[in-house]
Amino acid sequence: MAPPDPVNKSLRTPRRRLILDRAARWVVSAGGLAIIVAILGILFFILAEVWPLLATPDVKVARRLDVPGARLGAVVSDEHRAQAVALAEDGRVLVVRAGDGKILATTDALAGALTPGPSPGSPLPVPGRGEKSDTARPVLSAMAVQPDSRLLTAATSDGRILIVPVSFSTSFSEQGSRDTAAAVGPAVLLPVDPQGKPVRHFAAQLDDDGNATAVAELVDGTLAVVRRASEANAITGEKSESVTRHETKLPGPITALLLDKAQTSLFAGTPDGELLWWPLQDGEPGAIATASAGTSPVTALTNLIGGKSLVVGQENGSLSVWLKVRQPDDSFRLTRVRDFPRHPGAIRLLAPSPRDKGFFALDAGGSAGPSRLGLYYSTSHRTLWEGATPLPGATSLFYTPKADGAFLTADGRIASLDVFNPHPEVSWRT
């Protein structure tokens, strides 16, 4: 038997190369798997970022608070919704802790209001506190929160307009807990009716420099505009005030009144569905412009953030957005640009978002059922949410500064709402 051929050692793969080949194979495989994992991670990250764009907005009741002994008519809140500041019918301003409804402070806004006139800065007499006064203490006949502000405003039973500015400050303790403090006033009281009679409709604004404007429809059909201008001496820093009054005859009765934050445009609605618009120059109304919103009475007006968009609510539940559109002759005309689904009842309250072009609308309900609350966004023309109001008979509606909540008031009750609305500007159309 012949012996086997000897193995040619030069043709044998070295062990070191085999080890390196196997290691390379594992490295390449691991690299490929890492790339796949990285791509999947990027995909999941993109989905996680995009998911809120597709989330459905929602509004839920966070809590209901009882404030005994007070008929509340207007409410504002801080950005963290820790406190609610409400104006009551008797002229008191109540600072309420939003967590449990405890009253933290009370201020008599009527007693501390500054009334411009022959003796600027004199407080309104309040009988029953030791002072002698022949003037009976007025009550607040109507209350409202002015759009894009934290101003509590009211019309008194003796023909004056009360403006109460509210501000909040936030501090942090050494333990890291957040503390919120509300500051109320100083309030301003502007007389609009020399006869001392209750006004029918009113609007008011107060800027950071102390300039205030109050507008009201008097019982004789006159539109009165009272402006308090505040001016500081550039050398001494001393402030001086001047009060001017203007009147204009209305073309007919009105049903709603709105003054923009800049105090340069005044809007009104009529029982015939007409929109009236006056430009204001230092409180003096200019030439009136009109537009038709249909035949249904206008019941509510508000401005969206920036003051360029006008939201109009009507008796038949119609809800629309209007803009001032420039014409070929460089004039401006109110133009209807968007319509939202009609409510089953008359629109009573509108609350604009202080952060974006969103707004709440509350109707009065009726034969079709209880009152409905809706959340809308003008830019994307979206109806974000609709549902039954958590507080029937509400007299005030406030959209919180971070657009993540809202407050409703009715008599001695406050409802705090949580708003989930991360991307209202996104729709399939946009």
Side-chain angles (χ1 to χ4, degrees), residues 284-326:
E284 182 176 2
I288 186 174
T290 62
S292 176
T295 58
S296 181
V298 176
T299 54
L301 297 170
T302 195
N303 280 133
L304 298 183
I305 186 172
K308 304 299 183 182
S309 303
L310 177 68
V311 183
V312 179
Q314 296 180 257
E315 186 74 30
N316 63 357
S318 293
L319 197 59
S320 56
V321 176
W322 298 64
L323 294 175
K324 290 182 281 189
V325 178
R326 186 184 294 273

Side-chain angles (χ1 to χ4, degrees), residues 141 155-160 192-193 195-201 216-220:
S141 56
T156 69
S157 57
D158 60 356
R160 290 184 276 189
V192 292
D193 190 346
Q195 304 300 321
K197 297 179 181 180
V199 301
R200 290 176 176 171
H201 298 90
E217 179 197 15
L218 308 185
V219 293
D220 62 357

Side-chain angles (χ1 to χ4, degrees), residues 8 22 47 82 94 104 141 163 181 201 230 254 318 330 383 428:
N8 191 348
R22 183 172 296 179
L47 290 176
L94 309 176
L104 303 177
S141 56
I163 308 174
H201 298 90
S230 180
I254 62 175
S318 293
D330 285 339
T383 299
W428 289 114

